[in-house]
Amino acid sequence: MTSELDIFVGNTTLIDEDVYRLWLDGYSVSDAVALRVRSGILEQTGATAAVLQSDTMDHYRTFHMLERLLHAPPKLLHQLIFQIPPSRQALLIERYYAFDEAFVREVLGKKLSKGTKKDLDDISTKTGITLKSCRRQFDNFKRVFKVVEEMRGSLVDNIQQHFLLSDRLARDYAAIVFFANNRFETGKKKLQYLSFGDFAFCAELMIQNWTLGAVDSQVDDMDVDLDKEFLQDLKELKMLVADKDLLDLHKSLVCTALRGKLGVFSEMEANFKNLSRGLVNVAAKLTHNKDVRDLFVDLVEKFVEPCRSDHWPLNDVRLFLNQYSASVHSLDGFRHQALWDRYMGTLRGCLLRLYHD
Amino acid sequence: MPGKLKVKIVAGRHLPVMDRASDLTDAFVEVKFGNTTFKTDVYLKSLNPQWNSEWFKFEVDDEDLQDEPLQITVLDHDTYSANDAIGKVYIDIDPLLYSEAATVISGWFPIYDTIHGIRGEINVVVKVDLFNDLNRFRQSSCGVKFFCTTSIPKCYRAVIIHGFVEELVVNEDPEYQWIDRIRTPRASNEARQRLISLMSGELQRKIGLKVLEMRGNAVVGYLQCFDLEGESGLVVRAIGTACTLDKLSSPAAFLPACNSPSKEMKESPLVHPPSHGCRSTHNSPIHTATGSRLTQNFSVSVPTLIYTGMGSGSAGKEGGPFKALLRQQTQSALEQREFPFFTLTAFPPGFLVHVGGVVSARSVKLLDRIHNPDEPETRDAWWAEIRQEIKSHAKALGCHAVVGYSESTSICEEVCILSASGTAAVLNPRFLQDGTVEGCLEQRLEENLPAGCGFCHIPYDELNMPFPAHLTYCYNCRKQKVPDVLFTTIDLPIDATVIGKGCLIQARLCRLKKKAQAEANATAISNLLPFMEYEVHTQLMNKLKLKGMNALFGLRIQITVGENMLMGLASATGVYLAALPTPGGIQIAGKTPNDGSYEQHISHMQKKINDTIAKNKELYEINPPEVSEEIIGSPIPEPRQRSRLLRSQSESSDEVTELDLSHGKKDAFVLEIDDTDAMEDVHSLLTDVPPPSGFYSCNTEIMPGINNWTSEIQMFTSVRVIRLSSLNLTNQALNKNFNDLCENLLKSLYFKLRSMIPCCLCHVNFTVSLPEDELIQVTVTAVAITFDKNQALQTTKTHVEKSLQRASTDNEELLQFPLELCSDSLPSHPFPPAKEHLESASSNSGIPAAQRATSVDYSSFADRCSSWIELIKLKAQTIRRGSIKTTVTVEKASPMGEGNFRNRSAPPCANSTVGVVKMTPLSFIPGAKITKYLGIINMFFIRETTSLREEGGVSGFLHAFIAEVFAMVRAHVAALGGNAVVSYIMKQCVFMENPNKNQAQCLINVSGDAVVFVRESELEVVSTQQPTANCQPSCTGGEVTT
C-alpha cells in the first residue's frame, strides 16, 4: 500500500510555525521530519511518524506555493488563493525576510552579484547554515536591493512599503542595502568582533547624516549614496591637525575640560594628537571610494584599538569624544563648524558603538 | 422581453505576462451571454489594465437568464496571430433573479484557465433589470429560491412544506464527441464546463417550475449531482423539498424553545413546545421480503434494509386511537403526493412525530447511450422504480413519509449502481397543508408527546410488526414502546435527550469481484450487494455497541463500484438516547468450547472488548441515570450490574458459553467466532483508535452533547489516493488497507488541527472512489469548530438539570457579549469566570503545557506583526521623510522602544484588502447570526495539466486546484456581498492521472448557500431584549419533560 496522493487544503490556510522555520532553514522533508520527531512531538500528540511525514509534506507544499507570493509581499495581501489572516501573513513575511546573524556578517558590504552567490557554498560550510537557507537570504537581500536601490524617498519607508516588513527588520534591510551599495569592508579580521547590529547602527546614523537625503529629500538614491559634496568638503577639516596651533589649542581645551574627570587622563593627554590626527585623516580620505570602503577598518585601527590598548573605559571614551567634538566650537580660527558637526556627530555615535571587546 | 442584463468590466490585476519581449500583456475582454458578445478596448502593455468599460447590455428572456451563465473571457491581443486566451470567468446570475437575494454582483473574480489555473483577477459589475411577466404559460421560474441547506433556512419560517421535487436532464458529454479528437484539451474542457453550467441552469429552472405548480416559493435541501456516464452521456439530476417560506422580519422576536447548537437557532420560527424526533430499530439487519430480481434491462433491486430489533416485544395499548387519528390525517396529506419524501435532515419543532428506521434501495443498471437527450425517460424510470421501492419500505414500517432522503450513483464503465436512502417517519400534518388542521389535534399532540423522546416511539403496531423487534417501554416517559436501537439518516433533533457525547462511527468494507463484462458484471455486482449491506450493518452495530451507545444519526452508506472490487463505507454519528434502553455488551462465543487454549483466547478477547466498552463510556461521558427495574418492568439489568456481570464472565472462561446463551438472547449482542473471518471482524473492531483527547468527531450538523461552540471554524478538504500492490489482493488485505487508509486519514486530521483543541470535527463527509484498478481514493470534507471546555462539562448532566440550566446559560451568554468585544484574543474562553476555573480547565484539557505556551507566544507575535502592516499602511499614506527622520535620535535608534512601538499599533483588523469568507458544510455559523441568504453557489471546474511533474506531481496539482476552487467560491460569495458559504459540499472530485504521459485531469463540483452573517457580539442591541422573552419557552420545555 503506497500513498500516491495525500493533500489537505483548509479554507483558512494552515501555517505551522515550527515547520515553517524548518522550511526556511532549508531542511529537506526527511530532515525536517527527523527534527520534529526529536522535538518530542510524537509523544506529545500521540501521532505516528507517517502522520508527521504527511503533515510535513503538506506544509512544505503550501510554503512552496506561497514562496512566489512572498517574493512580492503586497501580492500576498491581495491574492485570493490562500485565505490567511493578516497576522499570519505578517508572520510569513517577517520570517521569510528574517536572516541569520552569521550569514549577514559574511555578505555585509559585499556586492550582491552572481560572484558572491557562487561563494554561498563556502559560507554555508563556514556558518553551518544550509545552502538553501543561504540562497534564500542572499536572494532576499538582492531582491530588496534591486527594488529600492534607485527609488526616491526614505530607504526604510520604501522597504516597508514594498516588502511590508516590521520597522526593525526594515531598518536592518536599509543597513544591508546601504552597506552593499557603498561596499564597506566588514570582513577583515580586525572587524570580526563587531556584530551586524553594530554595523546597522552605524549605517542608520550615516544614512541620516551623510547621505544626499540628509540635505535634500527629493533626489534619487538619496539614502543609498553618500553625499559626495560633503565628502569633498571634509578635506577642509584637515587644518585641525595640519595647523599646529589649532591642534595645540584643541588639545589644551579638551585637557582643561577633562582634567580630573577621566580615569585615563594621562594616556589621553599623551595620545591626543595621534587620535585627533587619526579621526581627521579618516575624514579627509573619504573622497576616495577605496577609503570609503575601508572606513570601518580605519576607525578601528586609528581610534578603537589605541584606546582599547590603554584600557579606556567606555564612559571615558564618551566623555572624551563629547569634549573633543564640542571644543572645536571654541576654536576661533576654525570656520567649518557645521561640517565638523555633521561629520563628528555621526562618527561619535559610531565610535561609541564600535568601542567594545 | 422580460429582462435586461448589464455588465461592466472595470479592471484587471496580476495578469500573467503574455508577451515575453516586453514582459507585459495587451489585454481585452469578451463578454458573452447567450449568442451575444461584446468586447472591451485593448488595454496596451499592462499587467493591471483599467478598462472601465461602458455598460454592456443584453436584452434576454428570463428563461435564458436562468439557464445561461455569463461568460467573461480575458484575452491577449496579438496583431499578427490569433489572440491568446488568458482565462475565463463564469458567473451564475441566478442570485440576481429573486428579490430578496443579491441586487448586484460586483467584485474581483479569479480568471480561470483549465490548463493554467488561476491567472490574475478581473473586476466585474453585473446587474439585472427584471420586468414583470404575467404570462401564465411561462417556462421560467424566476423568483423561486434555492437552498442547499437541509433544514429551514435560519431567517425564514416554513409556512407549508410541500414535499419532494426532482428533475433530471441528459446530454452527450463533449469529452466523448468525435470533435474532441481534433480540438485542444482546453476547448474540450471549456465546452464541458459550459455545458454543465447550462444544464444545471436548465435543471434549476425546471425544478422551479414544479415548485410554482405546487404553489411553493422555495426549494430547501436542494441537491444536484452529475453522473459522468462516459460514452453514454452526461446526466444532471437534482432533488429537493418544495416549501413555502416566509421571511422573518424581526428574527429577535422568535425565541428558542430549547437549547440549540448555535444561538442562531433561536430564530427557529415555530414556537411550540417541542415534540418530535426520529427513530429506527435494530439488530438482525436484512428484511428479505423484497428479494433481488433481475429485470430485463438488468436492474437489480437489492433488498432494502430495515434495521430492526430481534425478539418480539409485548403489545402496548396506549395511544391507540389517537395514533390512528394522527395517521389518518397525515396519510391524507401525503397521499396526494407521488413520493412523500423530504430531503430535509432537521425540522421545525413538532414536524417529526415518529421515526421508523432507515430505508434504502439500490439497483444495478447497465448504461446504454442516451439516444435522445430531450427524452430522458430511461433514467427517469430507473429512479422512479427505486423511489417506489423506498416508499413501500416506509409503508412496511408504518410510516407515510421518508425524511433525510438522498440519492446517489456509482459508475464504473457501463455499470451503474443507483442508491437511495432515507428515514421512514410519521410527520405532523400541520406543516403539510395550508394550516387547516391547526386546532384540537395539534393541542392533543403536544399534550401527548413528551419532549425528547416522542420521536423514538415506534410508529408501527406492536402486534403487527413488520419485522422482529425487541421493544421496551420508553426510558423517558415510560408510556410508549421504543426499540432498543435506532438508526436514522437525519440529524439529531435538537430537543432529543442525549446522555454524554456522540462520536463518528464508520463501517468499512471491501469485496473483490471478478472482472467481467456487461450483464455478467451487473449480475456479479448485484449478487454481492446484499452481503455487503449485511456486513456493513453488522459492523455498524458492533461498533455502536462497543461505544456503549444506542442510536445512529446521519447514517450514510456509500457503495462504490470498481473494475475488480466493491467498496462500502458507512458513516454515522452514534449517540446514547436517554429514551432507549442501555445497550447490551458484546459477547463472544466460540464454536469449539472444549479446546482450552481457544477458550482462553476467547476470554482474552472478551475482556478486551469489555474494557473497551468501559473506556468508551468514560470517554463519551455515558453514565445514564440508574433506573429501578420495577418501574420499567423490563428484564434489562441496570447498566452497572451488567458490566459487573460481563467482567465476571471473562474471569471464568468455563461459564462463558452458558452465560452467553442465557444472556445473549435478551439483550447482549453475540458474535460467534466460527472462522477466521469472524476473528478478523473482532480484531478490526478493536483497531479503531478513539480521537486524541480534546477532539470529538461526528458526521451530523452538530455534535450531540456539545452546545457551547466558540467562533473559530476551519473547513477543509483532504484527499488521499493509495495504490494497492496487486499481489495481496485478498478480501482481508483489502479490508485492512482500506481501514488503515481511513484511520490514518483521520489521525492526520486530528494532528493537523491540534492547535484548535478543544474542538469537534463536524459534518465529516467521506467519499470513496475507485479511479483505477488498484487505486482507492478517499475524499474528506469537514469543519473543525472550537468549543468551550468549561461549559461542555455542564451538558453531561441529566435532562431536567439541563433544562434548568438553559435559562441560566442563556443569561450567561448575554453577559459574554460585552466581554467578547474587549477580549478578542481569548476566543476559547468567551466568558472568563473565576481565575481558578480557567486554570483548572487548562490543566484538565490534556494539552501539553509546551504547546499552550507556544500558542500564547504566537498570538502576541501575531499581534505585533499585524500591527506592523497596519503601521506601514499608515506610513505609506503620509510619507514625510523629514518628519520621520527628525524623530530618530541617537538614543532611540538602537533597540526600538517597545512601548513606543505598541502605542502606534492599531487594532489588528480591517487591514487586509481581501475580505474573509468563511466556508462551512454546516447550515449555521457558530457565534453568528445569518441575516440574509444571497443565493445558491453551484460551480463546476475542470483542471488539466500536461506538465504534472513540474506542478509538483499529483499532490501538488490537486492541492493547487482545490485551493483555487475555494478561492473561486469565496470570490463569488464576496461579489454577491456575502461573507460566508453555509451547507457547502464538494459533491464530486474526480481525479485521473497518467504519470507516464505527465498528465492529469480533475473535475470538481461544489455547492452551497452564499449568506451574510453578523457576529453575535455585534448584536448586543438585540440581545439585551432577550432575557424576559427567553424564560418562557425554556420553562414550558421543562414542564413538558416532567
Side-chain angles (χ1 to χ4, degrees):
Chain A
M1 186 178 88
T2 50
S3 214
E4 284 272 302
L5 185 157
D6 179 4
I7 57 160
F8 175 98
V9 191
N11 182 36
T12 303
T13 306
L14 278 186
I15 308 286
D16 185 310
E17 287 174 67
D18 297 335
V19 185
Y20 188 47
R21 181 151 288 154
L22 292 169
W23 179 74
L24 288 174
D25 287 345
Y27 292 106
S28 67
V29 173
S30 51
D31 288 349
V33 170
L35 283 167
R36 292 182 83 187
V37 168
R38 231 172 290 158
S39 77
I41 196 164
L42 295 187
E43 291 75 25
Q44 268 175 40
T45 59
T48 62
V51 166
L52 206 58
Q53 167 84 20
S54 141
D55 180 65
T56 311
M57 287 279 282
D58 225 51
H59 284 300
Y60 266 55
R61 208 179 307 115
T62 309
F63 298 143
H64 183 73
M65 287 192 264
L66 285 171
E67 190 166 21
R68 188 177 53 84
L69 299 163
L70 283 166
H71 289 167
K75 265 195 190 164
L76 185 70
L77 261 66
H78 290 105
Q79 55 82 33
L80 302 176
I81 300 182
F82 302 97
Q83 184 159 280
I84 305 171
S87 61
R88 289 257 136 167
Q89 287 178 343
L91 176 131
L92 284 172
I93 296 167
E94 193 73 6
R95 294 262 171 91
Y96 190 79
Y97 283 90
F99 48 81
D100 292 307
E101 166 88 21
F103 177 80
V104 74
R105 278 297 278 113
E106 291 295 322
V107 295
L108 192 66
K110 284 192 183 145
K111 201 174 172 187
L112 299 173
S113 62
K114 288 217 172 90
T116 314
K117 196 167 182 181
K118 275 180 200 145
D119 299 338
L120 291 180
D121 285 6
D122 299 337
I123 294 176
S124 168
T125 341
K126 190 176 162 192
T127 58
I129 299 165
T130 60
L131 183 58
K132 228 174 153 187
S133 178
C134 287
R135 289 221 176 99
R136 172 182 60 83
Q137 298 181 39
F138 182 82
D139 289 342
N140 284 344
F141 293 169
K142 197 171 168 182
R143 194 176 315 111
V144 173
F145 183 84
K146 285 257 152 158
V147 169
V148 300
E149 134 184 78
E150 292 184 347
M151 216 170 252
R152 189 166 290 201
S154 149
L155 186 54
V156 177
D157 290 346
N158 285 338
I159 292 171
Q160 280 202 306
Q161 211 185 340
H162 286 87
F163 293 92
L164 309 179
L165 303 180
S166 67
D167 198 60
R168 177 80 160 280
L169 195 55
R171 280 163 200 275
D172 285 350
Y173 267 90
I176 291 163
V177 170
F178 184 70
F179 266 66
N181 191 55
N182 291 292
R183 313 269 301 280
F184 291 113
E185 173 63 52
T186 64
K188 283 265 166 62
K189 200 157 178 228
K190 279 194 172 103
L191 300 181
Q192 284 310 312
Y193 79 99
L194 292 171
S195 70
F196 170 72
D198 296 336
F199 287 116
F201 179 87
C202 297
E204 191 164 343
L205 284 181
M206 288 157 82
I207 292 171
Q208 278 163 34
N209 299 302
W210 288 5
T211 57
L212 281 173
V215 280
D216 179 358
S217 58
Q218 291 306 312
V219 282
D220 293 345
D221 298 340
M222 60 178 210
D223 275 356
V224 260
D225 288 341
L226 291 168
D227 182 353
K228 286 271 150 51
E229 231 169 280
F230 163 67
L231 297 182
Q232 285 293 335
D233 293 346
L234 284 177
K235 273 195 193 140
E236 306 290 343
L237 299 182
K238 213 156 181 190
M239 70 183 288
L240 280 175
V241 288
D243 185 329
K244 197 156 183 318
D245 294 346
L246 262 184
L247 183 60
D248 286 341
L249 187 56
H250 192 188
K251 181 180 171 182
S252 70
L253 280 171
V254 172
C255 289
T256 318
L258 291 179
R259 192 179 303 274
K261 291 182 185 161
L262 236 50
V264 288
F265 183 77
S266 53
E267 287 90 338
M268 187 275 286
E269 199 170 20
N271 260 330
F272 182 87
K273 288 189 178 172
N274 271 339
L275 292 174
S276 185
R277 233 174 250 134
L279 293 176
V280 173
N281 282 336
V282 166
K285 284 201 303 179
L286 287 177
T287 37
H288 305 293
N289 277 342
K290 164 92 185 45
D291 293 312
V292 170
R293 284 182 208 170
D294 284 339
L295 176 68
F296 290 95
V297 183
D298 290 343
L299 289 179
V300 169
E301 259 175 17
K302 299 280 156 55
F303 185 85
V304 175
E305 286 185 341
C307 293
R308 203 156 46 190
S309 68
D310 284 343
H311 305 290
W312 291 35
L314 180 62
N315 204 38
D316 285 5
V317 176
R318 179 175 296 118
L319 284 171
F320 168 74
L321 284 173
N322 287 347
Q323 200 52 50
Y324 176 75
S325 323
S327 303
V328 170
H329 295 286
S330 314
L331 296 174
D332 291 335
F334 186 70
R335 287 173 296 114
H336 306 286
Q337 304 292 353
L339 183 67
W340 172 255
D341 284 347
R342 188 175 175 191
Y343 173 66
M344 218 32 223
T346 302
L347 207 66
R348 186 183 54 195
C350 294
L351 287 172
L352 285 172
R353 178 76 192 221
L354 300 180
Y355 190 79
H356 63 82
D357 293 328
Chain B
M1 183 55 57
K4 191 186 273 177
L5 171 68
K6 299 190 291 184
V7 183
K8 185 185 176 99
I9 306 295
V10 184
R13 68 181 183 196
H14 305 149
L15 295 189
V17 170
M18 299 300 282
D19 179 3
R20 283 282 160 79
S22 66
D23 265 3
L24 289 167
T25 297
D26 304 325
F28 71 102
V29 182
E30 274 182 13
V31 185
K32 190 176 175 197
F33 189 83
N35 294 319
T36 318
T37 305
F38 292 102
K39 278 182 194 173
T40 66
D41 297 333
V42 177
Y43 195 92
L44 290 171
K45 302 203 185 309
S46 172
L47 299 183
N48 301 293
Q50 305 290 320
W51 291 290
N52 230 333
S53 78
E54 57 186 298
W55 284 100
F56 299 123
K57 292 174 186 139
F58 301 88
E59 301 190 324
V60 279
D61 284 345
D62 50 359
E63 190 180 333
D64 285 341
L65 279 173
Q66 285 194 295
D67 288 6
E68 294 269 352
L70 175 67
Q71 191 178 325
I72 293 166
T73 314
V74 186
L75 299 113
D76 177 49
H77 177 75
D78 204 326
T79 320
Y80 303 107
S81 57
N83 298 326
D84 294 320
I86 295 172
K88 288 190 184 226
V89 179
Y90 291 96
I91 301 177
D92 180 9
I93 47 171
D94 212 53
L96 294 179
L97 301 182
Y98 35 92
S99 49
E100 290 150 45
T103 51
V104 62
I105 300 178
S106 164
W108 289 99
F109 292 88
I111 302 167
Y112 181 73
D113 178 67
T114 60
I115 306 293
H116 294 103
I118 289 177
R119 306 171 96 189
E121 290 119 37
I122 184 169
N123 195 323
V124 182
V125 186
V126 185
K127 286 181 180 174
V128 173
D129 289 338
L130 268 187
F131 312 127
N132 271 340
D133 183 16
L134 301 174
N135 179 5
R136 283 182 55 213
F137 305 102
R138 60 180 184 170
Q139 287 300 299
S140 80
S141 55
C142 288
V144 175
K145 291 180 277 292
F146 285 80
F147 301 92
C148 295
T149 301
T150 56
S151 54
I152 301 303
K154 297 293 177 300
C155 40
Y156 291 92
R157 188 177 74 92
V159 181
I160 312 166
I161 298 173
H162 299 280
F164 193 58
V165 278
E166 48 76 31
E167 186 63 84
L168 67 80
V169 292
V170 298
N171 210 315
E172 267 185 275
D173 190 339
E175 184 96 339
Y176 295 88
Q177 284 162 350
W178 67 269
I179 194 170
D180 204 57
R181 279 173 225 159
I182 53 167
R183 64 181 167 193
T184 62
R186 177 181 283 120
S188 165
N189 292 338
E190 279 172 7
R192 245 175 145 187
Q193 284 191 170
R194 200 184 119 72
L195 177 73
I196 288 187
S197 186
L198 257 174
M199 284 169 77
S200 41
E202 182 191 343
L203 192 71
Q204 216 169 308
R205 175 173 57 82
K206 286 186 169 169
I207 292 243
L209 280 173
K210 290 192 173 179
V211 172
L212 290 177
E213 265 169 44
M214 296 165 98
R215 293 169 185 272
N217 64 3
V219 183
V220 180
Y222 184 68
L223 177 70
Q224 185 192 287
C225 290
F226 299 97
D227 296 331
L228 300 167
E229 295 186 350
E231 289 283 339
S232 57
L234 189 63
V235 177
V236 185
R237 58 190 165 77
I239 55 176
T241 306
C243 296
T244 302
L245 299 183
D246 242 8
K247 179 121 172 111
L248 293 174
S249 44
S250 76
F254 296 91
L255 282 164
C258 48
N259 215 355
S260 58
S262 75
K263 289 157 213 153
E264 188 181 316
M265 280 192 122
K266 285 172 186 160
E267 289 164 40
S268 166
L270 302 140
V271 191
H272 286 282
S275 57
H276 67 111
C278 52
R279 97 77 125 57
S280 111
T281 57
H282 107 104
N283 269 0
S284 90
I286 288 194
H287 177 58
T288 38
T290 41
S292 7
R293 57 180 193 276
L294 226 59
T295 57
Q296 287 130 326
N297 62 349
F298 281 90
S299 139
V300 180
S301 290
V302 167
T304 303
L305 277 190
I306 298 171
Y307 297 118
T308 74
M310 43 183 224
S312 56
S314 54
K317 277 162 188 117
E318 58 280 66
F322 167 66
K323 242 183 205 172
L325 174 62
L326 177 65
R327 192 161 297 158
Q328 242 170 15
Q329 292 267 12
T330 320
Q331 196 159 12
S332 60
L334 288 169
E335 247 165 21
Q336 305 142 8
R337 283 159 242 249
E338 188 184 5
F339 297 113
F341 297 169
F342 300 86
T343 54
L344 303 179
T345 58
F347 311 91
F351 183 74
L352 200 59
V353 180
H354 298 300
V355 171
V358 170
V359 286
S360 78
R362 288 180 211 283
S363 146
V364 182
K365 302 287 185 190
L366 275 181
L367 299 172
D368 49 354
R369 192 171 267 282
I370 299 167
H371 295 291
N372 184 359
D374 293 330
E375 291 176 10
E377 271 102 8
T378 335
R379 303 299 187 274
D380 266 340
W382 289 355
W383 286 111
E385 199 177 280
I386 286 212
R387 290 172 191 142
Q388 204 58 54
E389 204 166 316
I390 290 275
K391 190 179 172 185
S392 68
H393 290 316
K395 269 222 172 92
L397 280 173
C399 297
H400 298 290
V402 175
V403 292
Y405 180 74
S406 68
E407 294 176 346
S408 64
T409 58
S410 171
I411 297 171
C412 178
E413 302 289 324
E414 72 237 301
V415 176
C416 174
I417 303 181
L418 311 182
S419 311
S421 72
T423 305
V426 174
L427 305 178
N428 185 341
R430 177 156 61 92
F431 296 94
L432 305 172
Q433 304 165 349
D434 295 85
T436 48
V437 222
E438 307 209 21
C440 67
L441 171 66
E442 197 182 316
Q443 270 171 4
R444 287 196 56 184
L445 249 177
E446 280 149 18
E447 283 160 18
N448 275 282
L449 291 176
C453 66
F455 72 92
C456 303
H457 303 159
I458 52 165
Y460 35 84
D461 192 349
E462 295 96 312
L463 291 170
N464 195 10
M465 281 198 295
F467 48 83
H470 185 196
L471 303 177
T472 48
Y473 282 103
C474 172
Y475 273 51
N476 195 21
C477 67
R478 321 241 189 275
K479 289 178 189 144
Q480 309 270 324
K481 293 279 172 133
V482 293
D484 52 355
V485 171
L486 187 59
F487 281 18
T488 74
T489 58
I490 57 175
D491 275 338
L492 183 71
I494 44 172
D495 60 343
T497 316
V498 170
I499 292 172
K501 296 199 169 62
C503 73
L504 178 71
I505 291 179
Q506 286 195 319
R508 306 158 186 139
L509 185 70
C510 304
R511 280 289 167 268
L512 285 170
K513 92 177 169 57
K514 286 209 179 71
K515 280 193 188 180
Q517 291 302 307
E519 293 168 19
N521 196 15
T523 316
I525 292 168
S526 44
N527 286 341
L528 271 173
L529 281 179
F531 295 100
M532 292 196 64
E533 299 248 19
Y534 176 83
E535 277 192 50
V536 163
H537 176 256
T538 313
Q539 254 190 54
L540 280 176
M541 193 58 93
N542 286 341
K543 287 187 178 177
L544 184 66
K545 298 246 172 206
L546 205 61
K547 294 279 193 298
M549 299 177 183
N550 58 17
L552 286 182
F553 288 89
L555 176 64
R556 198 170 148 261
I557 303 178
Q558 193 196 355
I559 304 264
T560 310
V561 59
E563 288 267 288
N564 55 353
M565 61 179 108
L566 284 173
M567 312 282 274
L569 180 67
S571 307
T573 300
V575 292
Y576 186 104
L577 283 179
L580 302 191
T582 310
I586 298 176
Q587 302 286 316
I588 296 183
K591 258 234 159 147
T592 45
N594 296 328
D595 185 340
S597 66
Y598 187 70
E599 278 297 308
Q600 210 148 35
H601 180 68
I602 295 233
S603 77
H604 178 67
M605 299 269 280
Q606 181 71 59
K607 185 167 157 44
K608 254 174 123 178
I609 286 181
N610 293 344
D611 289 351
T612 313
I613 294 179
K615 224 185 281 164
N616 279 330
K617 279 190 174 168
E618 204 175 304
L619 182 61
Y620 298 107
E621 296 156 16
I622 299 170
N623 27 18
E626 302 191 3
V627 187
S628 64
E629 287 192 28
E630 301 92 75
I631 298 174
I632 301 171
S634 95
I636 298 168
E638 57 160 292
R640 277 217 184 146
Q641 197 180 331
R642 172 166 338 163
S643 65
R644 237 178 280 126
L645 261 177
L646 292 178
R647 225 162 272 142
S648 71
Q649 285 155 20
S650 59
E651 278 155 21
S652 61
S653 50
D654 288 349
E655 290 168 30
V656 169
T657 351
E658 282 172 38
L659 271 169
D660 275 349
L661 292 174
S662 61
H663 203 76
K665 243 186 198 165
K666 281 177 192 127
D667 64 317
F669 199 65
V670 184
L671 275 184
E672 228 175 53
I673 304 186
D674 45 4
D675 56 11
T676 44
D677 263 14
M679 209 60 163
E680 205 80 26
D681 290 346
V682 177
H683 272 300
S684 72
L685 267 185
L686 296 168
T687 53
D688 283 9
V689 192
S693 86
F695 259 113
Y696 293 93
S697 54
C698 62
N699 77 331
T700 45
E701 280 254 306
I702 51 155
M703 176 68 175
I706 301 179
N707 54 7
N708 44 332
W709 306 107
T710 46
S711 58
E712 200 187 335
I713 64 169
Q714 166 71 291
M715 189 281 296
F716 59 85
T717 293
S718 185
V719 184
R720 274 194 191 185
V721 177
I722 56 159
R723 185 175 289 280
L724 304 161
S725 51
S726 49
L727 298 170
N728 61 359
L729 280 185
T730 60
N731 277 337
Q732 277 99 337
L734 256 179
N735 276 335
K736 189 176 176 322
N737 278 333
F738 184 41
N739 220 19
D740 288 352
L741 171 60
C742 296
E743 283 293 315
N744 289 338
L745 189 46
L746 281 171
K747 273 186 216 155
S748 267
L749 299 182
Y750 296 139
F751 180 75
K752 279 203 170 288
L753 298 164
R754 66 192 184 284
S755 66
M756 292 180 78
I757 286 177
C759 90
C760 177
L761 295 186
C762 294
H763 214 286
V764 178
N765 186 8
F766 273 68
T767 318
V768 184
S769 55
L770 298 164
E772 273 174 54
D773 270 18
E774 282 133 23
L775 294 184
I776 304 177
Q777 179 192 327
V778 176
T779 310
V780 185
T781 299
V783 62
I785 310 182
T786 55
F787 63 90
D788 187 340
K789 189 119 188 159
N790 291 331
Q791 235 182 325
L793 295 173
Q794 302 171 352
T795 63
T796 60
K797 312 259 166 76
T798 60
H799 183 66
V800 183
E801 277 174 80
K802 208 161 87 186
S803 63
L804 284 176
Q805 263 174 11
R806 277 174 199 154
S808 64
T809 309
D810 283 338
N811 287 335
E812 280 175 85
E813 279 163 3
L814 297 176
L815 285 177
Q816 124 191 28
F817 297 128
L819 287 171
E820 237 173 19
L821 279 179
C822 56
S823 64
D824 221 1
S825 55
L826 281 173
S828 52
H829 305 287
F831 48 120
K835 254 256 161 79
E836 308 95 78
H837 213 150
L838 270 181
E839 273 160 17
S840 71
S842 59
S843 58
N844 284 342
S845 59
I847 305 163
Q851 212 173 318
R852 288 231 146 186
T854 52
S855 72
V856 168
D857 191 22
Y858 155 69
S859 69
S860 66
F861 178 62
D863 274 356
R864 262 170 32 216
C865 285
S866 56
S867 63
W868 287 328
I869 287 198
E870 186 69 16
L871 188 80
I872 292 159
K873 294 208 149 182
L874 286 174
K875 271 197 188 173
Q877 287 166 345
T878 55
I879 292 187
R880 283 287 169 276
R881 175 196 172 79
S883 67
I884 289 170
K885 272 220 166 148
T886 49
T887 62
V888 183
T889 61
V890 176
E891 283 74 27
K892 169 188 169 203
S894 65
M896 254 294 275
E898 281 290 319
N900 185 11
F901 192 66
R902 278 198 202 111
N903 287 340
R904 285 199 272 167
S905 67
C909 56
N911 53 13
S912 168
T913 47
V914 182
V916 172
V917 175
K918 300 220 175 206
M919 291 169 76
T920 171
L922 308 179
S923 64
F924 66 96
I925 292 172
K929 178 174 285 209
I930 294 173
T931 54
K932 197 173 181 189
Y933 281 79
L934 299 168
I936 201 168
I937 296 279
N938 187 11
M939 298 169 92
F940 178 83
F941 297 104
I942 302 179
R943 180 87 152 79
E944 189 166 349
T945 183
T946 50
S947 51
L948 188 58
R949 271 188 297 278
E950 294 77 358
E951 293 190 35
V954 284
S955 295
F957 170 72
L958 196 60
H959 190 146
F961 182 38
I962 292 178
E964 285 174 342
V965 169
F966 286 0
M968 287 184 277
V969 170
R970 287 192 303 256
H972 276 78
V973 172
L976 286 169
N979 56 5
V981 191
V982 295
S983 300
Y984 167 83
I985 176 174
M986 183 177 280
K987 288 175 292 191
Q988 227 141 10
C989 177
V990 185
F991 177 73
M992 289 158 287
E993 54 165 328
N994 189 343
N996 297 331
K997 282 190 177 167
N998 206 16
Q999 288 175 340
Q1001 192 192 38
C1002 186
L1003 294 81
I1004 287 183
N1005 178 212
V1006 296
S1007 66
D1009 294 326
V1011 299
V1012 180
F1013 73 86
V1014 183
R1015 285 246 158 267
E1016 282 187 351
S1017 51
E1018 292 155 22
L1019 284 174
E1020 299 135 283
V1021 194
V1022 178
S1023 64
T1024 46
Q1025 299 162 352
Q1026 276 184 6
T1028 40
N1030 216 0
C1031 312
Q1032 213 183 339
S1034 31
C1035 292
T1036 358
E1039 276 161 24
V1040 172
T1041 326
T1042 45

